[in-house]
Amino acid sequence: MTDENASVDPRFERVAIIGLGLIGGSLGHAIKRGKLAAHVAGYARSAETRARALEIGFVDSAHETAADAVKNADLVVICTPVGALGPVAAEIEPHLKRGAILTDVGSVKMAVVRDIGPYVPEGVHFIPGHPIAGTEQSGPDSGFAELFDGRWCILTPGPGADRDAVAKLAAFWQACGSKVDYMEPKHHDLVLAIVSHLPHLIAYNIVGTADDLETVTESEVIKYSAGGFRDFTRLASSDPTMWRDICLNNKDAILEMLGRFSEDLSAMQRMIRWGDGEGLFNLFTRTRAVRRSIIEAGQDTAAPNFGRTPAQKK
Amino acid sequence: MTDENASVDPRFERVAIIGLGLIGGSLGHAIKRGKLAAHVAGYARSAETRARALEIGFVDSAHETAADAVKNADLVVICTPVGALGPVAAEIEPHLKRGAILTDVGSVKMAVVRDIGPYVPEGVHFIPGHPIAGTEQSGPDSGFAELFDGRWCILTPGPGADRDAVAKLAAFWQACGSKVDYMEPKHHDLVLAIVSHLPHLIAYNIVGTADDLETVTESEVIKYSAGGFRDFTRLASSDPTMWRDICLNNKDAILEMLGRFSEDLSAMQRMIRWGDGEGLFNLFTRTRAVRRSIIEAGQDTAAPNFGRTPAQKK
Ligand SMILES: NC(=O)c1ccc[n+]([C@@H]2O[C@H](COP(=O)([O-])OP(=O)(O)OC[C@H]3O[C@@H](n4cnc5c(N)ncnc54)[C@H](OP(=O)(O)O)[C@@H]3O)[C@@H](O)[C@H]2O)c1
Ligand SMILES: NC(=O)c1ccc[n+]([C@@H]2O[C@H](COP(=O)([O-])OP(=O)(O)OC[C@H]3O[C@@H](n4cnc5c(N)ncnc54)[C@H](OP(=O)(O)O)[C@@H]3O)[C@@H](O)[C@H]2O)c1
């Protein structure tokens, strides 16, 4: 579909962003950078976040209710944690403009179809979406226009989705810097379980394990974290609400991946216990090719240590 | 001991580095930067590596045997994979200068004492060491002078170690940019099992799991790796020989940590299966404090995404 979009105008008259944190904020910045809307209306739960979004300037107006923010919008993007999508959809339903596109950025997609689907009025185009881009930070100050550049955005339009609406939304994400892909919600949830959910859960888990040890102190873990541990703490400092909601809403795929991971871990444990140097060497060898491919695909940097700046002497 | 070292001269007349890869090379660069030796003699297994080290200039002379390289050296640092330390020590034993300091940089320490200990001649000071600094790269081109800046170097001198020799080696590492700490070899191996060995093994394991899936293709894993997976591929692209040797030589501590990690993972799995949102939220919350402490301790960067440069549009 990418080529078909070349002629599609990616711009909207009025965009409403519901939820003004890392993703909502970055979207606002990307819209401003690309001049993709005449007006960006925003809503967040707290008055602080609304005021901060206006001050930074990635929205043109901030509204006290989501219902108010979506009025007359041609594109509505819900950027709250996954658990809040249903309630937000219920609230905005009567206020959506006929012909508008309704989308989201939630990290799971089957639950989104389940939760938002019932609240989509006749004549509104509901096309779920998920930009595969993020950082460990959250809140209105964490967003930036370049977040989506070169990253994939997955759309999961239903079987009856309007082709023009899908093409328009795809063109919009491309204008925000993304590459666009299409998937079934169920397959999306399986893919994301391995490329995102499992890594985050493993990271939270190992940081928890380290925190519980009686034989190694917390101060030792922190001092010597450059041995590899610190890499995991980045993922493990992501927003707890977001990750709770992902676990609750992608249970089956996550349990499937956790089960496979545990099996493989038992096999590795066995190799270590029995001193199977050849088996270990083979496992440690084949994983290198994956990183090379990720760097070639432009999805990570080849600079050693992610190009981290060297530590300061203290 | 740190304060006592202030008056100790960190320089040596002649330093021999055995093994000229990431750590040996970085040490050579750091010595040159700090003018810490009048002459740096080097040895590596292959003629290619020896030639390259001379060309880059982090050694002043490259020798065809380790025995030859250590002649007349006041400080000998063995920087080969852990499995090669014993054979190297056996080879150089008859050629070590009386009064010289013999040390290593191996990632485990009990096995080093076991393997090198028997080959330490009367009058040579054997002080095992381990700089907690590294990258995922290896070979003579991967080293750089700043690698040790602000990072810890752990020394594990035996009970009868000569105080002056220990102070001299500590002063040397400090002049290379490191902060110096002391530990029992056994405790070192336990600490490193959690801050370095377990993270690497978990990373290798998850990349292996992803590679084996039939339901998600390798190309999908690569495209969407910005969801978190790519962070693990950095550790999982480290040198396979080095990691095989670490597994074979720190078995007990690694199995202990793997066991605890697996237990915790089962508990998390259970929370996900039963939809225990509160339990998950609590786990995901307490891990944030650890990252904050690591950043405050200067052991990682606070920049989102490790300060990775944004992706290129493709
Ligand atoms: N972070 C990532 O890496 C990433 C990547 C891709 C997709 N996503 C998805 O993007 C969505 C937003 O994530 P984020 O990282 O942008 O989160 P965030 O920075 O924490 O921002 C969340 C926003 O939603 C608002 N909000 C929270 N709970 C709400 C509720 N119950 N009702 C109404 N509004 C509520 C918050 O308002 P206040 O500021 O007033 O609290 C805030 O403005 C999530 O669905 C997540 O799964 C995240
Ligand atoms: N990488 C890290 O992050 C890190 C951090 C702290 C400590 N360490 C420890 O530092 C040591 C070296 O690691 P590295 O990353 O520098 O490895 P590296 O880049 O692979 O370099 C290893 C060097 O040792 C030589 N060598 C390999 N096998 C040998 C053998 N059997 N006999 C004699 N020489 C041999 C190699 O020679 P050729 O080049 O000719 O093959 C090469 O010069 C290991 O003990 C490791 O545990 C590593």
Side-chain angles (χ1 to χ4, degrees):
Chain A
M1 254 184 221
T2 312
D3 288 345
E4 295 175 30
N5 298 340
S7 59
V8 178
D9 184 354
R11 292 170 301 176
F12 289 89
E13 205 32 50
R14 188 181 179 96
V15 175
I17 303 177
I18 309 301
L20 304 173
L22 171 68
I23 303 295
S26 295
L27 199 59
H29 285 293
I31 291 171
K32 293 287 165 201
R33 177 184 72 174
K35 299 190 175 45
L36 301 174
H39 187 97
V40 179
Y43 164 77
R45 195 173 39 173
S46 67
E48 289 84 342
T49 299
R50 294 195 295 265
R52 188 70 192 124
L54 263 181
E55 198 178 357
I56 299 172
F58 64 77
V59 296
D60 298 301
S61 61
H63 303 258
E64 292 191 12
T65 64
D68 207 36
V70 304
K71 272 173 200 151
N72 284 315
D74 309 288
L75 172 68
V76 174
V77 191
I78 315 184
C79 302
T80 66
V82 168
L85 295 174
V88 166
E91 182 195 336
I92 63 178
E93 176 183 16
H95 308 279
L96 292 168
K97 179 173 149 182
R98 220 188 139 80
I101 294 174
L102 172 65
T103 188
D104 75 303
V105 297
S107 304
V108 304
K109 295 270 71 77
M110 288 219 287
V112 165
V113 172
R114 177 196 69 199
D115 292 349
I116 298 187
Y119 301 108
V120 181
E122 193 53 43
V124 167
H125 306 293
F126 173 45
I127 306 161
H130 179 203
I132 314 301
T135 76
E136 65 277 25
Q137 315 212 322
S138 55
D141 284 287
S142 62
F144 53 99
E146 298 77 23
L147 181 66
F148 308 113
D149 287 354
R151 303 278 169 250
W152 290 91
C153 179
I154 300 175
L155 302 180
T156 66
D162 183 85
R163 284 182 66 90
D164 290 345
V166 173
K168 177 96 181 165
L169 184 61
F172 169 78
W173 273 110
Q174 285 167 351
C176 289
S178 282
K179 306 187 268 193
V180 173
D181 229 336
Y182 302 90
M183 266 184 209
E184 295 283 323
K186 192 183 165 113
H187 188 62
H188 166 279
D189 287 1
L190 202 61
V191 172
L192 267 290
I194 187 72
V195 298
S196 179
H197 307 170
L198 188 60
H200 278 84
L201 294 178
I202 295 302
Y204 278 118
N205 197 67
I206 196 175
V207 178
T209 302
D211 210 26
D212 280 345
L213 297 173
E214 343 53 57
T215 46
V216 177
T217 67
E218 199 187 316
S219 116
E220 285 173 325
V221 169
I222 288 160
K223 278 165 81 172
Y224 309 122
S225 58
F229 183 79
R230 60 178 175 166
D231 281 23
F232 288 73
T233 61
R234 182 183 89 79
L235 295 180
S237 67
S238 301
D239 186 61
T241 305
M242 167 178 164
W243 284 98
R244 177 200 62 200
D245 285 1
I246 289 173
C247 288
L248 297 178
N249 287 286
N250 196 22
K251 191 165 98 171
D252 293 344
I254 289 175
L255 288 175
E256 159 78 15
M257 295 304 169
L258 268 175
R260 283 165 177 265
F261 174 83
S262 294
E263 265 175 42
D264 294 345
L265 198 65
S266 298
M268 180 194 274
Q269 218 161 342
R270 209 162 180 285
M271 288 194 269
I272 295 170
R273 192 178 300 284
W274 295 101
D276 177 4
E278 201 184 319
L280 291 166
F281 185 86
N282 290 340
L283 171 60
F284 300 163
T285 303
R286 73 186 178 113
T287 50
R288 281 192 147 176
V290 178
R291 181 160 183 83
R292 243 190 327 265
S293 304
I294 288 173
I295 290 167
E296 277 163 20
Q299 296 302 314
D300 210 342
T301 165
N305 259 329
F306 305 112
R308 276 186 184 110
T309 42
Q312 287 103 352
K313 292 200 201 185
K314 278 204 180 191
Chain B
M1 256 187 221
T2 311
D3 288 346
E4 296 176 30
N5 298 340
S7 58
V8 179
D9 183 353
R11 291 170 302 176
F12 289 88
E13 203 34 50
R14 188 180 179 96
V15 175
I17 303 177
I18 309 300
L20 303 173
L22 171 68
I23 303 295
S26 295
L27 199 59
H29 285 292
I31 291 171
K32 293 287 166 200
R33 178 184 69 175
K35 301 190 172 46
L36 301 175
H39 187 98
V40 179
Y43 164 77
R45 193 174 40 174
S46 69
E48 289 86 340
T49 299
R50 294 193 296 264
R52 189 67 194 125
L54 263 181
E55 198 177 358
I56 300 173
F58 64 77
V59 297
D60 299 300
S61 61
H63 304 258
E64 292 192 15
T65 64
D68 207 36
V70 305
K71 270 174 202 152
N72 284 318
D74 310 287
L75 172 67
V76 174
V77 191
I78 315 182
C79 303
T80 67
V82 167
L85 295 175
V88 167
E91 183 194 336
I92 63 178
E93 176 182 15
H95 307 279
L96 291 169
K97 179 173 149 182
R98 218 187 141 80
I101 293 175
L102 171 64
T103 188
D104 74 306
V105 297
S107 305
V108 303
K109 294 271 71 80
M110 286 220 288
V112 166
V113 173
R114 178 197 67 201
D115 293 350
I116 297 187
Y119 302 108
V120 182
E122 194 52 45
V124 166
H125 305 294
F126 172 44
I127 306 162
H130 179 203
I132 315 302
T135 76
E136 65 276 26
Q137 315 211 325
S138 55
D141 284 287
S142 60
F144 52 100
E146 298 77 23
L147 181 65
F148 308 113
D149 286 353
R151 304 277 168 250
W152 289 92
C153 179
I154 299 175
L155 302 181
T156 66
D162 183 89
R163 284 182 66 91
D164 289 345
V166 173
K168 177 98 182 163
L169 184 60
F172 169 79
W173 273 110
Q174 284 167 353
C176 288
S178 282
K179 304 185 270 194
V180 173
D181 230 337
Y182 302 89
M183 266 185 211
E184 294 284 320
K186 191 181 166 115
H187 188 61
H188 167 280
D189 287 1
L190 200 62
V191 171
L192 269 290
I194 186 72
V195 299
S196 178
H197 307 169
L198 187 61
H200 278 84
L201 294 177
I202 294 301
Y204 278 118
N205 197 67
I206 196 174
V207 178
T209 302
D211 211 27
D212 279 344
L213 298 172
E214 341 57 52
T215 46
V216 176
T217 67
E218 198 185 317
S219 117
E220 286 174 324
V221 169
I222 289 159
K223 278 165 81 172
Y224 310 122
S225 58
F229 182 79
R230 60 178 175 166
D231 281 22
F232 289 72
T233 62
R234 182 182 90 78
L235 296 180
S237 66
S238 301
D239 185 60
T241 304
M242 166 178 165
W243 283 98
R244 179 201 61 198
D245 285 1
I246 289 173
C247 288
L248 297 178
N249 288 287
N250 196 22
K251 192 165 95 169
D252 293 343
I254 289 175
L255 288 176
E256 158 79 14
M257 294 303 170
L258 268 174
R260 283 165 178 266
F261 174 83
S262 295
E263 266 176 42
D264 293 345
L265 198 66
S266 298
M268 179 194 273
Q269 218 160 342
R270 213 163 177 282
M271 288 195 267
I272 295 171
R273 193 179 299 285
W274 296 100
D276 177 4
E278 202 185 317
L280 292 166
F281 186 87
N282 289 340
L283 172 59
F284 299 163
T285 302
R286 73 187 179 115
T287 49
R288 282 191 146 177
V290 178
R291 180 157 184 85
R292 242 189 330 264
S293 305
I294 288 173
I295 290 167
E296 278 162 19
Q299 296 302 315
D300 208 343
T301 165
N305 260 329
F306 306 112
R308 276 185 183 111
T309 42
Q312 287 102 354
K313 291 199 202 187
K314 277 205 179 185

